Amino acid sequence: MADKALVLGGGGLSGVAWETGVLAGLAEQGVDLTDADLVIGTSAGSLVGADVRSGTDLADLYKTQSAPFVRTEVSAKMGRGVLVKYGLAVAFTRKPAVAMRRVGSIALRAKVETEAERRQVFEGRMKALDWPAGDLKITAVEAATGKFTVFDQASGVLLIDAVGASCAVPGIWPPVTIDGARYMDGGMRSAANADLAAGYKRVVVIAPLTQGFGPIASVASQVQQLRASGSQVILIKPDEAALTAMGKNVLDPVYRPGSAQAGFTQGAAAAPSVATVWSD
């Protein structure tokens, strides 16, 4: 059995900030998860995973996320109409590929900003644009076929495109073109895709959202499956204070500083229990 896996789930800009805060809070208490043998990033978690693997100090990442909000930051809103479309897309089918093709159709038809404009946002956000040395897997879904895809250094895909694809929320941001195909948010398949950590002895799942729109099992169910297969698993999800800080619209950066601070507090508090699984 392989050793340590860190799973970072989706959750918008609030999720990026909260996850970063959790990691920094854990590290402050002596539990550093950056030594994971595998990092799995989905949507917001793909950006956090890339930053973690870049070698940037967690304290510096946290400082960026907890900095005062500036209105010039890019924001969006996932309205009720988009949520209804998601619900209808995954209804009345138990076939994941069918559900994902329907969601992909939403992504491909949406009138949103261009891929080039969106790429500039990630160029400004990411700490490094090259694949790191450590094992990093980033999830996405091919919009036209509904095929679940996992990018890594061996995929021959630019890191910025893999992260951009994983964060391409259907109906909000444009799918990302990679080798002629267009890819959307990996969180459409599962909120964290924690099942990719199967075979790892010790797993920490940090999940801003625990139930996505896709027909794949919830994060809690995936955690149960990992435990059943012999993995020691810790699941960290937002507590009440964090949920309040993350706000009603996780795509609005106004909630970023508070989300990061709530994550830091929660991470520090969770350190003793995480250490029982993670530390040698």
Side-chain angles (χ1 to χ4, degrees):
M1 214 179 205
D3 199 7
K4 300 177 180 178
L6 171 61
V7 180
L8 300 166
L13 297 177
S14 293
V16 170
W18 177 78
E19 288 181 85
T20 303
V22 170
L23 290 169
L26 286 166
E28 179 72 14
Q29 297 300 314
V31 185
D32 187 353
L33 302 190
T34 63
D35 66 347
D37 298 294
L38 169 67
V39 175
I40 299 165
T42 291
S43 197
S46 71
L47 182 58
V48 178
D51 283 347
V52 165
R53 280 303 204 210
S54 73
T56 304
D57 189 78
L58 285 173
D60 291 335
L61 293 175
Y62 174 67
K63 183 178 180 180
T64 297
Q65 292 299 323
S66 58
F69 168 68
V70 179
R71 180 46 75 181
T72 55
E73 294 182 42
V74 177
S75 64
K77 183 176 182 180
M78 186 177 290
R80 185 179 299 273
V82 173
L83 296 177
V84 169
K85 288 179 181 179
Y86 288 174
L88 291 174
V90 302
F92 312 117
T93 182
R94 294 186 178 182
K95 297 180 179 180
V98 172
M100 291 302 94
R101 283 199 298 272
R102 292 174 180 172
V103 176
S105 179
I106 295 170
L108 294 170
R109 293 199 313 263
K111 295 181 180 180
V112 294
E113 67 180 349
T114 66
E115 288 186 56
E117 290 170 328
R118 187 63 179 156
R119 200 171 198 271
Q120 288 182 338
V121 173
F122 285 96
E123 288 173 349
R125 283 181 181 163
M126 294 176 65
K127 299 299 181 183
L129 298 180
D130 295 322
W131 283 95
D135 196 1
L136 171 64
K137 296 188 182 301
I138 294 176
T139 68
V141 175
E142 187 177 352
T145 65
K147 180 182 178 182
F148 180 57
T149 304
V150 180
F151 296 115
D152 59 18
Q153 188 175 29
S155 300
V157 173
L158 294 176
L159 178 61
I160 191 172
D161 290 335
V163 171
S166 192
C167 294
V169 182
I172 305 295
W173 308 119
V176 173
T177 302
I178 298 175
D179 294 332
R182 302 191 74 194
Y183 293 86
M184 64 181 179
D185 198 323
M188 292 296 105
R189 187 247 187 190
S190 166
N193 294 296
D195 55 322
L196 294 179
Y200 280 77
K201 181 179 177 182
R202 296 180 274 187
V203 183
V204 174
V205 180
I206 304 178
L209 303 175
T210 57
Q211 184 64 58
F213 289 94
I216 302 300
S218 68
V219 174
S221 295
Q222 291 181 343
V223 166
Q224 288 179 345
Q225 291 168 6
L226 289 171
R227 287 174 177 156
S229 67
S231 299
Q232 299 179 67
V233 188
I234 291 285
L235 170 61
I236 303 175
K237 57 184 180 180
D239 57 17
E240 260 187 63
L243 288 173
T244 298
M246 292 170 74
K248 294 182 178 180
N249 177 17
V250 297
L251 300 179
D252 189 339
V254 71
Y255 299 109
R256 174 183 49 74
S259 299
Q261 292 158 16
F264 187 93
T265 299
Q266 195 173 349
S273 60
V274 175
T276 62
V277 168
W278 200 261
S279 302
D280 296 318

